[in-house]
Amino acid sequence: EGLHLEGRPFSLSEARAAREAFLTPASTAVTPIVTINGTAVGNGKPGPVAKHLRQIFDQAVEIAPLWASGERR
């Protein structure tokens, strides 16, 4: 997918200056962060990376029950 991932601590000011932010907990897959303490992140809307990751997740979840049942697409 051409994404570079980096896990590290970051500051609040760095997060506020981000073009895009999102959480990836197991319970909600990809959750866009559009504001931090009332300040918009990027344009204040879910960004393209979060949307793309959500599409990938949704496809995997849609296929997962088929694999569990032995059915293949």
Side-chain angles (χ1 to χ4, degrees):
E1 297 295 326
L3 298 174
H4 169 77
L5 303 177
E6 182 179 330
R8 64 175 176 77
F10 55 88
S11 68
L12 181 56
S13 62
E14 186 177 7
R16 285 182 175 153
R19 289 177 289 177
E20 184 173 355
F22 50 87
L23 298 173
T24 56
S27 61
T28 58
V30 179
T31 304
I33 307 292
V34 295
T35 63
I36 298 174
N37 291 340
T39 301
V41 174
N43 66 5
K45 298 178 181 176
V49 175
K51 289 178 182 178
H52 183 66
L53 291 175
R54 183 58 190 234
Q55 287 174 339
I56 292 168
F57 176 83
D58 288 348
Q59 287 176 335
V61 170
E62 181 181 312
I63 293 169
L66 298 176
W67 282 94
S69 69
E71 185 178 339
R72 304 291 185 261
R73 276 195 175 174

